[in-house]
Amino acid sequence: MSGRVLRPAGGRRSVLARLPRVGQEDVLGPHQMLRVRGRSVAWMPPLLLLGAIAAVDFNTSGEFRIISWIVLVPGIAAAICGMWGTAGFAVLAVVTYVLADSAWPHQYQTGLPDFILVAVGGVLALLACEVRLRGERSMLHMRDIADTTRRTVLRDLPPVWGGLEHAAVYLAADSQARVGGDFYDIQPGLHGTRVLLGDVQGKGLGAVEAAAALLGTFREAGYHEPDLATVAERLEIRMRRHDLLVTALGREDGDRFATAVLLGFPADGREEVEAVVFGHEPPLAVGPDGVRPLPPGGGLPLGLGELAAGLPPVHRVPLAPGTTLLLTTDGVTEARDGDGLFYPLTDEVARAVAADPRAADPGRLVAFVRDGTLRHCGGRLADDTTVFAVRRADESADESARKGRLQS
């Protein structure tokens, strides 16, 4: 996944089952990847090479012997097989060499020097295989650490949570990183359900650390605070406190900020949504009636509030039943094609919904934007990319979500 690290976070399982997940791409050794119908065929290349060398050696003249080339067989096995497979081919190479060489008249036999070469080659192949397998195990361990970090930032959510049906896909520009500065979450609370999506400036573990700090504050404030403006203020203060701490520790990344969108769905079921936009692209309201952006808000990113007269305002926007809110990060809005043109997100989504109103379903919408972004940029993501879609669930799903609200 292009650089891929993808994560669906809910929505209709029939759609999201086809979306790759973060953590789904475990590190596999070559012997695990070379499979046909679930069975390993990693043994075939070295076995075919061994047979080919023996056959060619048997059909050449005594002046041109290639049986010593059999030393290549355990070497290839070391690159694609496990330890037992490599050991088996090392022994088989020695046995084949002895049988093939002894079949020739004495004057044409290659003798002891090449026998030692083949035997030593088998031993070295075993050592190389062990080094390779240790590297794979180390990579698996690092992937486990990255997945744990990812689950801390982007926790798993039920398909319907806080009365919201939702779907999300996360694509990392660095296919090895698996997690970056993009973050999102849904927090049911005492005063409705709050949604947060954002993008921390910069990359690396520092960005992940800042994202985790903001999410921790959001999960507490989003649950307890009655006003969305107070939640927004808590997030702004948390970003500043985090920067002060990082600066006090002597690190050079103490001036981070984060663009974000904070949404609030009232607990009384009113057909509206509250939105606070911190220097981010406003969400798109996608429904049967078309596509329209929510008010931009004009606010500065989190952490830069001191440069403005105050925090961005809370906008209350009517939201018709069945309307999905689509939120994306820079990876979508800044995706360019070969001519340097940006991905026309609004136009593409509008055409899709006009052709099929079911495209407004969160799962379908997320998959459509993901595929369109990757197709537009040719799979070369310039930045971490998150596509997140939410809408109010039907009453039966909402009742199920209420039962789990206090368990969050």
Side-chain angles (χ1 to χ4, degrees):
M1 1 326 65
S2 61
R4 298 180 303 170
V5 178
L6 300 130
R7 179 182 185 268
R12 296 187 185 275
R13 293 186 182 276
S14 61
V15 174
L16 295 184
R18 299 194 296 269
L19 300 183
R21 297 177 180 269
V22 167
Q24 185 178 19
E25 297 181 19
D26 291 330
V27 178
L28 299 177
H31 62 292
Q32 293 173 294
M33 293 188 292
L34 294 174
R35 291 180 176 273
V36 174
R37 296 182 179 179
R39 295 180 178 274
S40 175
V41 293
W43 51 270
M44 289 188 63
L47 183 63
L48 291 174
L49 178 62
L50 185 145
I53 292 174
V56 172
D57 182 78
F58 181 78
N59 288 282
T60 56
S61 63
E63 288 78 12
F64 183 73
R65 298 288 312 283
I66 66 166
I67 193 59
S68 59
W69 293 12
I70 211 168
V71 71
L72 298 174
V73 172
I76 292 177
I80 59 177
C81 298
M83 281 294 293
W84 285 109
T86 303
F89 278 108
V91 173
L92 187 59
V94 171
V95 172
T96 303
Y97 170 83
V98 172
L99 293 177
D101 195 45
S102 60
W104 285 85
H106 178 74
Q107 65 269 28
Y108 297 123
Q109 293 179 4
T110 55
L112 182 61
D114 284 356
F115 172 82
I116 295 175
L117 174 66
V118 174
V120 171
V123 173
L124 293 178
L126 285 171
L127 295 176
C129 183
E130 174 62 20
V131 171
R132 192 202 92 223
L133 293 176
R134 284 188 180 183
E136 290 177 5
R137 287 192 291 268
S138 176
M139 183 62 70
L140 278 172
H141 180 63
M142 295 303 296
R143 288 295 180 96
D144 287 342
I145 294 174
D147 284 342
T148 301
T149 303
R150 185 267 306 168
R151 286 191 295 269
T152 300
V153 178
L154 305 178
R155 62 178 178 175
D156 293 329
L157 297 172
V160 177
W161 188 234
L164 300 180
E165 181 184 2
H166 59 95
V169 159
Y170 171 72
L171 305 93
D174 182 353
S175 61
Q176 301 300 320
R178 300 169 78 86
V179 67
D182 287 5
F183 58 92
Y184 57 86
D185 201 8
I186 298 175
Q187 181 57 58
L190 301 175
H191 308 281
T193 300
R194 275 67 186 265
V195 174
L196 178 67
L197 176 137
D199 181 6
V200 176
Q201 172 264 334
K203 300 182 183 296
L205 292 179
V208 176
E209 182 183 7
L214 289 171
L215 284 172
T217 297
F218 167 72
R219 288 162 185 167
E220 289 301 312
Y223 179 86
H224 290 287
E225 298 295 344
D227 299 322
L228 194 68
T230 305
V231 180
E233 183 180 17
R234 293 276 300 275
L235 290 171
E236 170 66 25
I237 293 172
R238 185 67 183 94
M239 191 72 223
R240 291 189 216 165
R241 288 174 54 205
H242 177 77
D243 285 349
L244 287 174
L245 173 63
V246 172
T247 300
L249 292 173
R251 287 162 46 181
E252 297 180 355
D253 57 343
D255 57 350
R256 289 188 188 274
F257 58 86
T259 63
V261 176
L262 176 64
L263 302 177
F265 292 82
D268 57 12
R270 283 174 291 162
E271 293 180 357
E272 68 175 25
V273 64
E274 299 175 322
V276 183
V277 180
F278 295 92
H280 200 89
E281 288 290 326
L284 293 178
V286 182
D289 297 332
V291 179
R292 60 185 173 91
L294 268 60
L300 293 178
L302 291 168
L304 302 180
E306 292 179 335
L307 303 178
L311 293 176
V314 177
H315 291 279
R316 291 174 176 82
V317 182
L319 200 64
T323 299
T324 299
L325 293 180
L326 174 66
L327 303 92
T328 62
T329 57
D330 291 347
V332 175
T333 57
E334 297 182 2
R336 296 173 182 260
D337 61 11
D339 297 325
L341 300 177
F342 291 109
Y343 176 59
L345 174 64
T346 303
D347 294 341
E348 290 288 324
V349 172
R351 279 194 290 269
V353 174
D356 183 2
R358 293 177 302 173
D361 174 90
R364 293 174 181 269
L365 188 57
V366 162
F368 174 81
V369 175
R370 176 201 63 177
D371 294 343
T373 301
L374 292 174
R375 183 169 54 249
H376 184 77
C377 68
R380 297 180 296 274
L381 296 173
D383 199 355
D384 294 338
T385 301
T386 298
V387 186
F388 190 44
V390 294
R391 73 177 176 189
R392 285 195 181 275
D394 56 37
E395 293 183 0
S396 60
D398 195 28
E399 178 62 28
S400 176
R402 286 194 190 99
K403 294 180 180 179
R405 179 175 295 170
L406 295 180
Q407 301 177 7
S408 174

